[in-house]
Amino acid sequence: MTLAVLAVAPLCLPALGGALGGQVTTLFIYCILALGLNVMVGYTGLVHLGIASFFGIGAYLLAILTVPMYPFQIGFLPATAVAVLATAGIGLALGAPTLRLRGDYLAIVTLGFGEVAKVTLRNLEQITGGMKGLNPVPPPGAGVTIGGLDLGKEFAIDPRWFYYLALASLAGVVLLMRRLEGSRLGRALVAVREDELAAQAMGISATKVKLSAFAMSSAVAGLAGCLYAASLSTTADPNAYDFNRSIMVLCAVILGGLGSIPGTLLGVAILVGFDTVLAPWADSWIQQWNINPTGSSLLSFSGWRLAIFGLALVLVMRYRPAGLIPSRRMAAELHDAPEGH
Amino acid sequence: MFVVTACRPADPDLVKIVSSLPRTGSAKHQSDTLVRGIRMAIEEAEGRVGPFRVEYLDLDDSTAAAGQWTSEAEAANARRALQDPDVCAYIGTFNSGAAKVSMPILNLGDLLMVSPANTAVGLTKPGMGTPGEPEVYRPTGRRNYARVVPADDLQGPMAADWAVRRGVKKVYILDDNEVYGKGIADLFDERCRELGVEVLGHDSIDAKAQEFKSLMASVKATKPDLVYFGGTTQSKGGQLAKDMTAAGVGAILMVPDGCMEQVFIDSAGAANLEGRCFVTFGGLPPAKLTGKGGEFVQRYREKHGELPEAYAVYGYEAARVALHAIATAGSKDRRAITDAALGIRDFDGALGHWGFDENGDTTMRTLTVNIVRNGKFEFEEVLHEADLVAEPAASAGATPAP
Amino acid sequence: MSAQFFLQQCLIGLTNGALIALVALGYTMVYGIIGLINFAHGDLIMLGACLALSIVGALGLAAVDPAVTWVAIAGLVLVCGLACGSLNVAVDRIVYKPLRNAPKLAPLVSAIGVSFIFMNIGLFWLGSADRSFPELLPSDNVLPDDWGLQFTQKDRLVVLIVVPLMVALSILVRWTKLGKAMRAVSQDPTAAALVGVDVDRVIAATFFIGGFLGGAASVVYSLYINTIGFQMGFQNGLYAFTAAVLGGIGSIPGAVLGGVVIGLVRALASAYVGERWTGAIVFAILIVILVFRPEGLLGRRVREKV
């Protein structure tokens, strides 16, 4: 249903395809990223504080494979495929040695990895372009002509192409997640989250399961990164993939409801939507009505953005500690006795 | 909400000028002064240009979460401006990195973009940035970008020449690893080597780090005559100056125009800069402006009760260029407005008489060196391109002016 | 480079490490007792620094006689410590306490929310630009000149405040009744309650002590670094939290050791590899250490529950 509305919306409201279309596309990309994180945090119960680095690695790999600066310049689709696989590989490489760490120690390892990745991207200027980033990332379909339609040019000019590409990718990832939830692996993930020892006693290899979670999470984040770089036509600079972003996505996943697909999507819509849609809109509204002629920060919306944001997080957690749309399993669990620390 | 505003047909009597600057986070102070400058230009025109009413929209390209400009926010601002048929000029960006995001987007709609603060050379000058610049920012092949501030190809090298004239033999170069700061530090570095100045070290700092005591101990051990920092107040220029004093580094400190704001002195502590910190700045400092610029400074003082920051006049000038272009075009045809702006050859502006060259760069190439005295920037001297130290034979290709 | 240079860098690293350790204690104590990564701790320190700046400004402490300066600093530590401690307790009461039985990540997100609220308060308090903190102490060297080492009055101040606080904390945790109760609650809150420990009071006391140390750290930080800004909490928190985990989160000597290790690694990485790689090296070493010692340097090995 929602999908149909989202698919038709830009056709009915041409304006949506433009200004807001760009923002909604970004929103979809964050949804994909958050769904990736949800595999780790939601299903498997491993706190991950460095998801943005995999997002960034995906973006940079795509850029390296497509920008004119490098000799590869393979098309968007093969580049995305390679980038996603490679990101999954890097996820495995990080996961393998660190799996025996307990929850919060693993969290700090992922945080540390995020910082290392950011600094490395920034400093390896010959490869990553440093703070300039890699650009221009050609639009998907550059050089491909279908029925007289130059796809690359269409992507560059009409944001609706990206809108649909992002929407289709998101739909694909949602579908994948649905399948995962019902699959053997999906149930194994949850079993490991609930009780690792019991799961192992049942013949589940916790190591394999956690590694799969790591790989899937990284791969999906990498996919989001590819879309992100392509839609901005640049990797942006490494600061775009810092701890702040990881935290934001993590908040979205928890706020929406751990392990819940609709919850995750709602969480992203609220948090990212607040920063990229509501806040700028409110600010320009205040300006247009000239409420704040002196330009005092106390009277501008942006002056209060952080506090509103923070308060929202606190209040949601206070009144809906399992998230806005908790997964059924989580909701049931909450009524049982909480586990001791 | 959005749908309503965006679907509204163009208002024939209205033109909108938008600016896209970092309004949240650490660069807010500088963007405040720019916005004041822009507002003053529009107020001065009594909110009208030709047959049109002027509306100004102050967009933010930073987010609360990031505390600085972000690619998404900048891209969203550009798309929003492009989509609104009333928007006739886009003033921005503050950060050169942000310009790289919005330039190709605005280019698609031929929307005029005037930057009051971008100084990275690659944005306009062919062959001086990374390969492919600046064509990559012009997907349509046409131009739509101009800047009223001189690019770094002048500032970095001329700072080196100035240092040599002062008798500096050994320098230690630091930068903030950002597009602007690193760009200018690299140019300074290159010119120092050409002039035979010994470069003792060149390192990048993390602008998020809190102190640089270890770094300054390393700097001290090399005994430089001058420490150059390519960066801004936001990227910890003040802290560097502080830790320099604390570590007992005796060298003079030289910084580019990104630090030319009172906040820099405040954040460094005036005593740490007193008489030892030199700032290069593209153009004359506010107190030295005459003519239209002098009037601007006067009015700014009356209105805000303080001397404008160095950058305010660039905001003012950028807005005046936009207004002038709309008036010249006499219509809301974006291409015509852009052409009118890029066609400016002799502009009687607040910064003096200047024009845009074929790249969209200002022809104004005055640089000044300012020194910190009594907790304020004090004008020290004007640098002219002609004053460059005699060229070493090997370096002919690297002369700044193309 | 020379041995002297190496010693100088170690001295800087140790001084920085002491400050990091003081902040790390706030993380580790709260974590030890309720298993919460208190993301707002760094921003609490930022607010402490705001308060210190306002007090210094209002009382004109920047211009007092050097003899009074030390009294003034002690006063600042006390006032900011009490303020931050109380604020920390209030936040716990209002925000975290209702979430004691919630899923483990709920208080974490709340803490991030509190951190944003604190930052916004700081933004209104300080403005968006960094502010210079008056130099109450001069940067003159206290070591003899012929040693060739720079150790200023400010550096000395860090040691003079941090070391006694840590000693006091160790005494408190090891030998007082409250300390015993804290250790009991951190091991098993239910069992502690059964033997008559007032768990809520102990948790509140922990938040207060953690906050007090944070308030003290904010004063030390302000006088040592001399720049404060509304975003300073993040970086502060990042290194301190890392130090706490590196040492073994929940362990008080571990937090101190972690802080010192991180301070030293940062200084030496900056000196011998390059300032630009410092952040990467600190975290890379963290990852390597954790791979080989999964419970941190001094952490207890936790047996899996059965």
PDB file of all heavy atoms in Angstrom, chain C residues 131-153:
ATOM      1  N   ARG C 131      34.926  29.561  22.943  1.00  0.00           N
ATOM      2  CA  ARG C 131      35.232  30.692  23.814  1.00  0.00           C
ATOM      3  C   ARG C 131      36.556  30.447  24.507  1.00  0.00           C
ATOM      4  O   ARG C 131      36.891  29.321  24.854  1.00  0.00           O
ATOM      5  CB  ARG C 131      34.123  30.848  24.856  1.00  0.00           C
ATOM      6  CG  ARG C 131      32.799  31.260  24.259  1.00  0.00           C
ATOM      7  CD  ARG C 131      32.721  32.762  24.052  1.00  0.00           C
ATOM      8  NE  ARG C 131      32.682  33.465  25.313  1.00  0.00           N
ATOM      9  CZ  ARG C 131      31.568  33.701  25.995  1.00  0.00           C
ATOM     10  NH1 ARG C 131      30.408  33.298  25.542  1.00  0.00           N
ATOM     11  NH2 ARG C 131      31.610  34.362  27.133  1.00  0.00           N
ATOM     12  N   SER C 132      37.260  31.528  24.698  1.00  0.00           N
ATOM     13  CA  SER C 132      38.529  31.412  25.384  1.00  0.00           C
ATOM     14  C   SER C 132      38.282  31.449  26.884  1.00  0.00           C
ATOM     15  O   SER C 132      37.513  32.270  27.355  1.00  0.00           O
ATOM     16  CB  SER C 132      39.422  32.571  24.969  1.00  0.00           C
ATOM     17  OG  SER C 132      40.725  32.330  25.379  1.00  0.00           O
ATOM     18  N   PHE C 133      38.923  30.556  27.590  1.00  0.00           N
ATOM     19  CA  PHE C 133      38.785  30.559  29.044  1.00  0.00           C
ATOM     20  C   PHE C 133      39.964  31.341  29.620  1.00  0.00           C
ATOM     21  O   PHE C 133      41.103  31.083  29.263  1.00  0.00           O
ATOM     22  CB  PHE C 133      38.790  29.127  29.572  1.00  0.00           C
ATOM     23  CG  PHE C 133      38.267  28.998  30.971  1.00  0.00           C
ATOM     24  CD1 PHE C 133      36.932  28.747  31.189  1.00  0.00           C
ATOM     25  CD2 PHE C 133      39.112  29.158  32.056  1.00  0.00           C
ATOM     26  CE1 PHE C 133      36.434  28.638  32.475  1.00  0.00           C
ATOM     27  CE2 PHE C 133      38.621  29.056  33.349  1.00  0.00           C
ATOM     28  CZ  PHE C 133      37.278  28.800  33.554  1.00  0.00           C
ATOM     29  N   PRO C 134      39.695  32.306  30.504  1.00  0.00           N
ATOM     30  CA  PRO C 134      40.787  33.150  31.005  1.00  0.00           C
ATOM     31  C   PRO C 134      41.923  32.320  31.588  1.00  0.00           C
ATOM     32  O   PRO C 134      41.670  31.312  32.247  1.00  0.00           O
ATOM     33  CB  PRO C 134      40.119  33.982  32.102  1.00  0.00           C
ATOM     34  CG  PRO C 134      38.680  33.944  31.802  1.00  0.00           C
ATOM     35  CD  PRO C 134      38.401  32.673  31.075  1.00  0.00           C
ATOM     36  N   GLU C 135      43.133  32.749  31.357  1.00  0.00           N
ATOM     37  CA  GLU C 135      44.287  31.998  31.851  1.00  0.00           C
ATOM     38  C   GLU C 135      44.553  32.383  33.299  1.00  0.00           C
ATOM     39  O   GLU C 135      45.278  33.326  33.570  1.00  0.00           O
ATOM     40  CB  GLU C 135      45.514  32.291  30.982  1.00  0.00           C
ATOM     41  CG  GLU C 135      45.201  32.184  29.499  1.00  0.00           C
ATOM     42  CD  GLU C 135      46.319  31.547  28.693  1.00  0.00           C
ATOM     43  OE1 GLU C 135      47.365  31.230  29.266  1.00  0.00           O
ATOM     44  OE2 GLU C 135      46.126  31.374  27.479  1.00  0.00           O
ATOM     45  N   LEU C 136      43.965  31.637  34.207  1.00  0.00           N
ATOM     46  CA  LEU C 136      44.180  31.939  35.621  1.00  0.00           C
ATOM     47  C   LEU C 136      45.611  31.624  36.022  1.00  0.00           C
ATOM     48  O   LEU C 136      46.160  32.204  36.947  1.00  0.00           O
ATOM     49  CB  LEU C 136      43.217  31.131  36.493  1.00  0.00           C
ATOM     50  CG  LEU C 136      41.718  31.394  36.309  1.00  0.00           C
ATOM     51  CD1 LEU C 136      40.931  30.725  37.398  1.00  0.00           C
ATOM     52  CD2 LEU C 136      41.422  32.879  36.276  1.00  0.00           C
ATOM     53  N   LEU C 137      46.200  30.661  35.324  1.00  0.00           N
ATOM     54  CA  LEU C 137      47.578  30.296  35.628  1.00  0.00           C
ATOM     55  C   LEU C 137      48.445  30.611  34.422  1.00  0.00           C
ATOM     56  O   LEU C 137      48.044  30.384  33.296  1.00  0.00           O
ATOM     57  CB  LEU C 137      47.661  28.794  35.920  1.00  0.00           C
ATOM     58  CG  LEU C 137      47.001  28.335  37.207  1.00  0.00           C
ATOM     59  CD1 LEU C 137      47.015  26.833  37.273  1.00  0.00           C
ATOM     60  CD2 LEU C 137      47.719  28.933  38.405  1.00  0.00           C
ATOM     61  N   PRO C 138      49.645  31.132  34.658  1.00  0.00           N
ATOM     62  CA  PRO C 138      50.527  31.432  33.540  1.00  0.00           C
ATOM     63  C   PRO C 138      51.150  30.154  32.986  1.00  0.00           C
ATOM     64  O   PRO C 138      51.177  29.132  33.662  1.00  0.00           O
ATOM     65  CB  PRO C 138      51.596  32.327  34.165  1.00  0.00           C
ATOM     66  CG  PRO C 138      51.622  31.933  35.601  1.00  0.00           C
ATOM     67  CD  PRO C 138      50.222  31.499  35.958  1.00  0.00           C
ATOM     68  N   SER C 139      51.657  30.248  31.748  1.00  0.00           N
ATOM     69  CA  SER C 139      52.285  29.084  31.122  1.00  0.00           C
ATOM     70  C   SER C 139      53.778  29.042  31.406  1.00  0.00           C
ATOM     71  O   SER C 139      54.541  28.722  30.518  1.00  0.00           O
ATOM     72  CB  SER C 139      52.085  29.126  29.608  1.00  0.00           C
ATOM     73  OG  SER C 139      50.743  28.986  29.302  1.00  0.00           O
ATOM     74  N   ASP C 140      54.210  29.435  32.611  1.00  0.00           N
ATOM     75  CA  ASP C 140      55.668  29.374  32.788  1.00  0.00           C
ATOM     76  C   ASP C 140      56.106  28.031  33.354  1.00  0.00           C
ATOM     77  O   ASP C 140      55.389  27.343  34.075  1.00  0.00           O
ATOM     78  CB  ASP C 140      56.207  30.554  33.607  1.00  0.00           C
ATOM     79  CG  ASP C 140      55.403  30.754  34.874  1.00  0.00           C
ATOM     80  OD1 ASP C 140      54.430  29.994  35.052  1.00  0.00           O
ATOM     81  OD2 ASP C 140      55.749  31.639  35.670  1.00  0.00           O
ATOM     82  N   ASN C 141      57.314  27.687  32.958  1.00  0.00           N
ATOM     83  CA  ASN C 141      57.858  26.374  33.248  1.00  0.00           C
ATOM     84  C   ASN C 141      58.151  26.235  34.744  1.00  0.00           C
ATOM     85  O   ASN C 141      58.717  27.136  35.348  1.00  0.00           O
ATOM     86  CB  ASN C 141      59.148  26.219  32.444  1.00  0.00           C
ATOM     87  CG  ASN C 141      59.493  24.770  32.230  1.00  0.00           C
ATOM     88  OD1 ASN C 141      58.884  23.900  32.840  1.00  0.00           O
ATOM     89  ND2 ASN C 141      60.454  24.521  31.373  1.00  0.00           N
ATOM     90  N   VAL C 142      57.801  25.104  35.336  1.00  0.00           N
ATOM     91  CA  VAL C 142      58.109  24.917  36.752  1.00  0.00           C
ATOM     92  C   VAL C 142      59.345  24.036  36.933  1.00  0.00           C
ATOM     93  O   VAL C 142      59.831  23.876  38.044  1.00  0.00           O
ATOM     94  CB  VAL C 142      56.920  24.302  37.528  1.00  0.00           C
ATOM     95  CG1 VAL C 142      55.762  25.262  37.565  1.00  0.00           C
ATOM     96  CG2 VAL C 142      56.487  22.983  36.923  1.00  0.00           C
ATOM     97  N   LEU C 143      59.824  23.447  35.833  1.00  0.00           N
ATOM     98  CA  LEU C 143      61.016  22.613  35.932  1.00  0.00           C
ATOM     99  C   LEU C 143      62.250  23.482  35.709  1.00  0.00           C
ATOM    100  O   LEU C 143      62.178  24.514  35.046  1.00  0.00           O
ATOM    101  CB  LEU C 143      60.973  21.507  34.882  1.00  0.00           C
ATOM    102  CG  LEU C 143      59.851  20.484  35.048  1.00  0.00           C
ATOM    103  CD1 LEU C 143      59.919  19.459  33.937  1.00  0.00           C
ATOM    104  CD2 LEU C 143      59.923  19.814  36.403  1.00  0.00           C
ATOM    105  N   PRO C 144      63.392  23.062  36.247  1.00  0.00           N
ATOM    106  CA  PRO C 144      64.612  23.843  36.028  1.00  0.00           C
ATOM    107  C   PRO C 144      64.921  23.948  34.535  1.00  0.00           C
ATOM    108  O   PRO C 144      64.696  22.987  33.785  1.00  0.00           O
ATOM    109  CB  PRO C 144      65.696  23.012  36.735  1.00  0.00           C
ATOM    110  CG  PRO C 144      64.966  22.082  37.631  1.00  0.00           C
ATOM    111  CD  PRO C 144      63.596  21.904  37.096  1.00  0.00           C
ATOM    112  N   ASP C 145      65.439  25.071  34.124  1.00  0.00           N
ATOM    113  CA  ASP C 145      65.682  25.326  32.701  1.00  0.00           C
ATOM    114  C   ASP C 145      66.611  24.307  32.060  1.00  0.00           C
ATOM    115  O   ASP C 145      66.409  23.906  30.920  1.00  0.00           O
ATOM    116  CB  ASP C 145      66.261  26.734  32.513  1.00  0.00           C
ATOM    117  CG  ASP C 145      65.154  27.773  32.505  1.00  0.00           C
ATOM    118  OD1 ASP C 145      63.987  27.357  32.341  1.00  0.00           O
ATOM    119  OD2 ASP C 145      65.457  28.969  32.674  1.00  0.00           O
ATOM    120  N   ASP C 146      67.643  23.891  32.825  1.00  0.00           N
ATOM    121  CA  ASP C 146      68.642  23.031  32.178  1.00  0.00           C
ATOM    122  C   ASP C 146      68.139  21.607  31.932  1.00  0.00           C
ATOM    123  O   ASP C 146      68.822  20.814  31.313  1.00  0.00           O
ATOM    124  CB  ASP C 146      69.966  23.035  32.968  1.00  0.00           C
ATOM    125  CG  ASP C 146      69.735  22.733  34.434  1.00  0.00           C
ATOM    126  OD1 ASP C 146      68.552  22.751  34.847  1.00  0.00           O
ATOM    127  OD2 ASP C 146      70.708  22.482  35.159  1.00  0.00           O
ATOM    128  N   TRP C 147      66.927  21.281  32.399  1.00  0.00           N
ATOM    129  CA  TRP C 147      66.360  19.987  32.050  1.00  0.00           C
ATOM    130  C   TRP C 147      65.869  19.979  30.600  1.00  0.00           C
ATOM    131  O   TRP C 147      65.682  18.949  30.005  1.00  0.00           O
ATOM    132  CB  TRP C 147      65.180  19.636  32.965  1.00  0.00           C
ATOM    133  CG  TRP C 147      65.575  19.308  34.362  1.00  0.00           C
ATOM    134  CD1 TRP C 147      66.754  19.632  34.975  1.00  0.00           C
ATOM    135  CD2 TRP C 147      64.813  18.591  35.318  1.00  0.00           C
ATOM    136  NE1 TRP C 147      66.766  19.180  36.252  1.00  0.00           N
ATOM    137  CE2 TRP C 147      65.583  18.529  36.508  1.00  0.00           C
ATOM    138  CE3 TRP C 147      63.547  18.007  35.299  1.00  0.00           C
ATOM    139  CZ2 TRP C 147      65.125  17.894  37.652  1.00  0.00           C
ATOM    140  CZ3 TRP C 147      63.091  17.378  36.442  1.00  0.00           C
ATOM    141  CH2 TRP C 147      63.870  17.315  37.612  1.00  0.00           C
ATOM    142  N   GLY C 148      65.580  21.166  30.111  1.00  0.00           N
ATOM    143  CA  GLY C 148      65.101  21.265  28.738  1.00  0.00           C
ATOM    144  C   GLY C 148      63.702  20.706  28.541  1.00  0.00           C
ATOM    145  O   GLY C 148      63.306  20.369  27.433  1.00  0.00           O
ATOM    146  N   LEU C 149      62.954  20.583  29.632  1.00  0.00           N
ATOM    147  CA  LEU C 149      61.586  20.072  29.500  1.00  0.00           C
ATOM    148  C   LEU C 149      60.597  21.161  29.885  1.00  0.00           C
ATOM    149  O   LEU C 149      60.864  21.967  30.782  1.00  0.00           O
ATOM    150  CB  LEU C 149      61.379  18.867  30.419  1.00  0.00           C
ATOM    151  CG  LEU C 149      62.149  17.600  30.077  1.00  0.00           C
ATOM    152  CD1 LEU C 149      61.866  16.524  31.108  1.00  0.00           C
ATOM    153  CD2 LEU C 149      61.782  17.104  28.692  1.00  0.00           C
ATOM    154  N   GLN C 150      59.475  21.166  29.189  1.00  0.00           N
ATOM    155  CA  GLN C 150      58.447  22.151  29.481  1.00  0.00           C
ATOM    156  C   GLN C 150      57.359  21.491  30.322  1.00  0.00           C
ATOM    157  O   GLN C 150      56.704  20.543  29.883  1.00  0.00           O
ATOM    158  CB  GLN C 150      57.872  22.672  28.145  1.00  0.00           C
ATOM    159  CG  GLN C 150      56.865  23.770  28.282  1.00  0.00           C
ATOM    160  CD  GLN C 150      57.499  25.152  28.179  1.00  0.00           C
ATOM    161  OE1 GLN C 150      58.715  25.278  28.156  1.00  0.00           O
ATOM    162  NE2 GLN C 150      56.679  26.183  28.120  1.00  0.00           N
ATOM    163  N   PHE C 151      57.188  21.941  31.528  1.00  0.00           N
ATOM    164  CA  PHE C 151      56.088  21.459  32.372  1.00  0.00           C
ATOM    165  C   PHE C 151      55.564  22.690  33.086  1.00  0.00           C
ATOM    166  O   PHE C 151      56.173  23.189  34.031  1.00  0.00           O
ATOM    167  CB  PHE C 151      56.603  20.407  33.359  1.00  0.00           C
ATOM    168  CG  PHE C 151      55.507  19.700  34.107  1.00  0.00           C
ATOM    169  CD1 PHE C 151      54.743  18.722  33.489  1.00  0.00           C
ATOM    170  CD2 PHE C 151      55.222  20.024  35.419  1.00  0.00           C
ATOM    171  CE1 PHE C 151      53.721  18.070  34.174  1.00  0.00           C
ATOM    172  CE2 PHE C 151      54.198  19.379  36.113  1.00  0.00           C
ATOM    173  CZ  PHE C 151      53.453  18.405  35.482  1.00  0.00           C
ATOM    174  N   THR C 152      54.460  23.218  32.607  1.00  0.00           N
ATOM    175  CA  THR C 152      54.035  24.529  33.070  1.00  0.00           C
ATOM    176  C   THR C 152      53.186  24.421  34.326  1.00  0.00           C
ATOM    177  O   THR C 152      52.813  23.330  34.765  1.00  0.00           O
ATOM    178  CB  THR C 152      53.215  25.241  31.986  1.00  0.00           C
ATOM    179  OG1 THR C 152      52.007  24.523  31.810  1.00  0.00           O
ATOM    180  CG2 THR C 152      53.961  25.307  30.674  1.00  0.00           C
ATOM    181  N   GLN C 153      52.869  25.567  34.859  1.00  0.00           N
ATOM    182  CA  GLN C 153      51.985  25.612  36.033  1.00  0.00           C
ATOM    183  C   GLN C 153      50.649  24.947  35.744  1.00  0.00           C
ATOM    184  O   GLN C 153      50.035  24.355  36.619  1.00  0.00           O
ATOM    185  CB  GLN C 153      51.740  27.071  36.412  1.00  0.00           C
ATOM    186  CG  GLN C 153      52.946  27.726  36.993  1.00  0.00           C
ATOM    187  CD  GLN C 153      52.557  28.807  37.989  1.00  0.00           C
ATOM    188  OE1 GLN C 153      51.563  28.688  38.677  1.00  0.00           O
ATOM    189  NE2 GLN C 153      53.341  29.861  38.041  1.00  0.00           N
TER     190      GLN C 153
END
